[in-house]
Amino acid sequence: MSDLNKLTLAAARDRLRAKDVTSVELTQACLGAIEGSGALNAFVHQTPELALERAREADVRLAKGDAPDMCGLPIGIKDLFCTKGVLSQAGSAILDGFKPEYESTVSQNLQDAGAVMLGKLNMDEFAMGSSNETSTYGDVVSPWKRGNDDAKLTPGGSSGGSAAAVAADLCLAATGTDTGGSIRQPAAFVGITGIKPTYGRCSRWGVVAFASSLDQAGPMTKDVRDAAIMLEVMCGHDAKDSTSVDMAVPNFEAMLTGDIKGKKIGLPKEYRMDGMPAEIEKLWANGADMLRDAGAQIVDISLPHTKYALPAYYVIAPAEASSNLARYDGVRYGHRAKLDAGDGITEMYEKTRAEGFGHEVQRRVMIGTYVLSAGFYDAYYNRARRVRALIKRDFENVFADGVDAILTPTTPSAAFGLGEMADADPVQMYLNDVFTVTVNLAGLPGISVPAGVDKQGLPLGLQLIGRPWEEGDLLNTAYALEAAAGFVAKPAKWW
């Protein structure tokens, strides 16, 4: 029974329905795994009593025989999602002690479906980071190791806690958010599946904002089928989010046939970057061969404005962040600095933000404030918005030519060591997002599927980018790629 935490969502669901196991047993197995996982630092706010209470409620629903697919399945929630009465800090000291009086729409959807929340997962502060080294809770450590090397590796970011928890079987699945690759990059680094749906498919209400025109929630799971099951529950129209689309959510799992005969898959020439490791190049070529063998037509395509994506992203995202983070002022909630006699409200704002925000958040707020300032608005922000429109048009042109999905690497390398980029130029860290940010700028769905390992035994992922609102078709293509890749590697337990 102790291996119940290693089940996929689909396998656990089927066993719950067959009455082989109970939700309480599944939950206890995960809680036991979490207890022994302190070295990973993935779970930062554990809620065992709440989890067991929800598991018991799920067992009652299951006994009645009309429970939804996610009923009774234990999952982790990224600390960016507000959870009623449970600490929700977005990995930041400025939200120290904040317990919301409301539930985010996505976590409410999961709760309504009977999913069991095990606790809150570590993340980069305000989702700003690619290595989970900016969190007020400390670094998350990947469950993976490089060969015989004992160096601690990054699980990726910003959803590093979610990635590590799923890869280490601490939970059956987890929520993540993706602003420039924060679901897909960590999924690739730890050998799991992560999907960012079309912008507007999942409500952003109750999710702490980083960059409002880019942020999107999605599931991080052990395989593609689980991603389909969980995504369906997370999606849906929400009147509380003006960017939420009012569109029917299909049964994504029912669309997983694995049949991609005749599908046209594009390979963008602009993603063949100078200095790309040979292993990544080979993985990409192998992925194309796998899809070709499954009956897809592989075509070369051009996305000419790709080279401008990273600079445009690192103007737009910080600009939106500087606007969104202005609400953290020490007045209404969270941390407030101790003031000296004679200090006024301006000093309170300055001291609170200086103490509450970490260096990476401060850097991005300053960049964002700069590009939005009167003298530079047109030179930077408006120009970046125009570039964004051109990037979106590139994708529209490719899809108009009949391409069904686009295959690229997810990351430019395998996971790197914690601290290895600490002294590097911040731009070196930002380059981790080179293959993922275009998807957010264009608002498209993207999925990362584990497809191989590098020479040191670390996972490597391939990304598929789909047409807007066609997550079902994208998941089916990913399902075919997953079957062909046959990735089964798991990290050896050391924690």
Side-chain angles (χ1 to χ4, degrees), residues 135-157:
S135 170
T136 189
Y137 313 119
D139 305 347
V140 180
V141 181
S142 172
W144 290 84
K145 295 279 192 186
R146 273 189 292 230
N148 297 318
D149 186 350
D150 258 356
K152 292 178 176 176
L153 301 181
T154 176

Side-chain angles (χ1 to χ4, degrees), residues 9 13-14 16-17 58 61-62 65-73 109-115 229 232-233:
L9 291 176
R13 172 195 63 186
D14 295 346
L16 284 170
R17 289 185 170 176
R61 281 178 82 175
L62 286 157
D66 62 344
D69 279 357
M70 288 287 293
C71 189
L73 302 178
N109 289 349
L110 288 161
Q111 188 179 327
D112 292 346
I229 293 167
E232 185 183 344
V233 175

Side-chain angles (χ1 to χ4, degrees), residues 274-327:
D274 289 341
M276 182 192 281
E279 288 174 318
I280 301 287
E281 189 87 58
K282 186 171 186 301
L283 181 84
W284 192 12
N286 289 349
D289 289 343
M290 291 175 202
L291 293 171
R292 190 182 288 109
D293 291 346
Q297 180 190 352
I298 306 298
V299 295
D300 288 320
I301 60 168
S302 178
L303 298 167
H305 294 92
T306 294
K307 63 185 172 187
Y308 306 117
L310 217 53
Y313 173 84
Y314 278 103
V315 169
I316 291 168
E320 295 186 14
S322 74
S323 174
N324 277 325
L325 270 58
R327 71 193 66 175

Side-chain angles (χ1 to χ4, degrees), residues 316-340:
I316 291 168
E320 295 186 14
S322 74
S323 174
N324 277 325
L325 270 58
R327 71 193 66 175
Y328 304 105
D329 52 17
V331 176
R332 290 156 292 188
Y333 44 74
H335 175 73
R336 178 186 291 188
K338 286 189 169 60
L339 303 181
D340 298 325

Side-chain angles (χ1 to χ4, degrees), residues 1-6 15 20-22 25-26 28-30:
M1 287 299 238
S2 61
D3 281 352
L4 291 175
N5 55 302
K6 296 182 179 175
R15 289 188 63 177
D20 283 352
V21 295
T22 65
E25 288 169 337
L26 281 172
Q28 285 172 331
C30 289

Side-chain angles (χ1 to χ4, degrees), residues 96 329-330 334-356:
D96 188 27
D329 52 17
H335 175 73
R336 178 186 291 188
K338 286 189 169 60
L339 303 181
D340 298 325
D343 281 350
I345 193 161
T346 302
E347 288 79 12
M348 188 196 71
Y349 288 167
E350 289 172 351
K351 288 182 178 179
T352 296
R353 289 169 176 160
E355 290 175 12

Side-chain angles (χ1 to χ4, degrees), residues 31 84 100 103 169 176 182 190 200 256 263 306 317-318 364-365 374 432:
L31 291 173
K84 187 175 180 178
E103 190 82 24
D169 295 316
S182 286
V190 300
L256 300 181
K263 292 284 183 191
T306 294
R364 297 200 198 191
V365 166
N432 267 287

